mmCIF file of all heavy atoms in Angstrom:
data_model
loop_
_atom_site.group_PDB
_atom_site.id
_atom_site.type_symbol
_atom_site.label_atom_id
_atom_site.label_comp_id
_atom_site.label_asym_id
_atom_site.label_seq_id
_atom_site.Cartn_x
_atom_site.Cartn_y
_atom_site.Cartn_z
ATOM 1 N N LEU O 297 17.586 -1.482 11.960
ATOM 2 C CA LEU O 297 18.053 -2.850 12.157
ATOM 3 C C LEU O 297 19.482 -2.847 12.709
ATOM 4 O O LEU O 297 19.841 -3.719 13.510
ATOM 5 C CB LEU O 297 18.010 -3.624 10.838
ATOM 6 C CG LEU O 297 16.610 -3.922 10.274
ATOM 7 C CD1 LEU O 297 16.736 -4.542 8.896
ATOM 8 C CD2 LEU O 297 15.835 -4.844 11.210
ATOM 9 N N SER O 298 20.295 -1.922 12.271
ATOM 10 C CA SER O 298 21.670 -1.842 12.723
ATOM 11 C C SER O 298 21.799 -1.595 14.221
ATOM 12 O O SER O 298 22.771 -1.975 14.847
ATOM 13 C CB SER O 298 22.432 -0.741 11.961
ATOM 14 O OG SER O 298 22.425 -0.972 10.556
ATOM 15 N N ARG O 299 20.775 -0.953 14.808
ATOM 16 C CA ARG O 299 20.793 -0.597 16.212
ATOM 17 C C ARG O 299 20.001 -1.585 17.092
ATOM 18 O O ARG O 299 20.013 -1.460 18.314
ATOM 19 C CB ARG O 299 20.241 0.816 16.419
ATOM 20 C CG ARG O 299 20.989 1.881 15.639
ATOM 21 C CD ARG O 299 20.522 3.281 16.006
ATOM 22 N NE ARG O 299 19.145 3.513 15.654
ATOM 23 C CZ ARG O 299 18.750 3.992 14.467
ATOM 24 N NH1 ARG O 299 19.638 4.253 13.518
ATOM 25 N NH2 ARG O 299 17.467 4.236 14.243
ATOM 26 N N ALA O 300 19.338 -2.524 16.472
ATOM 27 C CA ALA O 300 18.468 -3.426 17.231
ATOM 28 C C ALA O 300 19.174 -4.715 17.616
ATOM 29 O O ALA O 300 20.126 -5.154 16.946
ATOM 30 C CB ALA O 300 17.217 -3.727 16.428
ATOM 31 N N ARG O 301 18.665 -5.372 18.669
ATOM 32 C CA ARG O 301 19.225 -6.658 19.108
ATOM 33 C C ARG O 301 18.327 -7.823 18.708
ATOM 34 O O ARG O 301 18.821 -8.874 18.300
ATOM 35 C CB ARG O 301 19.418 -6.630 20.622
ATOM 36 C CG ARG O 301 20.470 -5.645 21.123
ATOM 37 C CD ARG O 301 20.411 -5.535 22.631
ATOM 38 N NE ARG O 301 19.117 -4.976 23.078
ATOM 39 C CZ ARG O 301 18.700 -4.992 24.333
ATOM 40 N NH1 ARG O 301 19.445 -5.555 25.278
ATOM 41 N NH2 ARG O 301 17.526 -4.461 24.653
ATOM 42 N N ALA O 302 17.021 -7.662 18.865
ATOM 43 C CA ALA O 302 16.069 -8.722 18.572
ATOM 44 C C ALA O 302 14.901 -8.114 17.774
ATOM 45 O O ALA O 302 14.250 -7.194 18.236
ATOM 46 C CB ALA O 302 15.553 -9.359 19.867
ATOM 47 N N VAL O 303 14.654 -8.652 16.574
ATOM 48 C CA VAL O 303 13.703 -8.032 15.654
ATOM 49 C C VAL O 303 12.687 -9.065 15.173
ATOM 50 O O VAL O 303 13.041 -10.214 14.851
ATOM 51 C CB VAL O 303 14.456 -7.443 14.416
ATOM 52 C CG1 VAL O 303 13.453 -6.913 13.394
ATOM 53 C CG2 VAL O 303 15.404 -6.346 14.869
ATOM 54 N N LEU O 304 11.431 -8.636 15.096
ATOM 55 C CA LEU O 304 10.351 -9.461 14.539
ATOM 56 C C LEU O 304 9.710 -8.692 13.396
ATOM 57 O O LEU O 304 9.294 -7.541 13.569
ATOM 58 C CB LEU O 304 9.302 -9.761 15.617
ATOM 59 C CG LEU O 304 8.004 -10.419 15.108
ATOM 60 C CD1 LEU O 304 8.308 -11.778 14.501
ATOM 61 C CD2 LEU O 304 6.983 -10.509 16.243
ATOM 62 N N ASP O 305 9.591 -9.338 12.242
ATOM 63 C CA ASP O 305 8.882 -8.791 11.085
ATOM 64 C C ASP O 305 7.553 -9.518 10.995
ATOM 65 O O ASP O 305 7.507 -10.726 10.735
ATOM 66 C CB ASP O 305 9.718 -8.998 9.810
ATOM 67 C CG ASP O 305 9.085 -8.383 8.586
ATOM 68 O OD1 ASP O 305 8.105 -7.617 8.739
ATOM 69 O OD2 ASP O 305 9.561 -8.650 7.465
ATOM 70 N N VAL O 306 6.460 -8.786 11.199
ATOM 71 C CA VAL O 306 5.107 -9.376 11.195
ATOM 72 C C VAL O 306 4.536 -9.298 9.801
ATOM 73 O O VAL O 306 4.549 -8.244 9.153
ATOM 74 C CB VAL O 306 4.208 -8.656 12.220
ATOM 75 C CG1 VAL O 306 2.786 -9.214 12.181
ATOM 76 C CG2 VAL O 306 4.792 -8.772 13.625
ATOM 77 N N GLN O 307 3.990 -10.433 9.330
ATOM 78 C CA GLN O 307 3.413 -10.544 7.997
ATOM 79 C C GLN O 307 4.442 -10.119 6.938
ATOM 80 O O GLN O 307 4.243 -9.146 6.184
ATOM 81 C CB GLN O 307 2.129 -9.719 7.900
ATOM 82 C CG GLN O 307 1.031 -10.205 8.847
ATOM 83 C CD GLN O 307 -0.208 -9.379 8.796
ATOM 84 O OE1 GLN O 307 -0.628 -8.909 7.730
ATOM 85 N NE2 GLN O 307 -0.879 -9.176 9.932
ATOM 86 N N THR O 308 5.500 -10.869 6.872
ATOM 87 C CA THR O 308 6.651 -10.480 6.030
ATOM 88 C C THR O 308 6.412 -10.652 4.534
ATOM 89 O O THR O 308 7.205 -10.180 3.726
ATOM 90 C CB THR O 308 7.887 -11.309 6.446
ATOM 91 O OG1 THR O 308 9.054 -10.759 5.836
ATOM 92 C CG2 THR O 308 7.748 -12.779 6.059
ATOM 93 N N GLY O 309 5.306 -11.300 4.117
ATOM 94 C CA GLY O 309 5.116 -11.584 2.709
ATOM 95 C C GLY O 309 6.141 -12.567 2.232
ATOM 96 O O GLY O 309 6.383 -13.609 2.863
#
Side-chain angles (χ1 to χ4, degrees):
L297 292 174
S298 300
R299 301 188 296 271
R301 294 170 296 167
V303 175
L304 170 63
D305 183 11
V306 177
Q307 297 178 38
T308 192

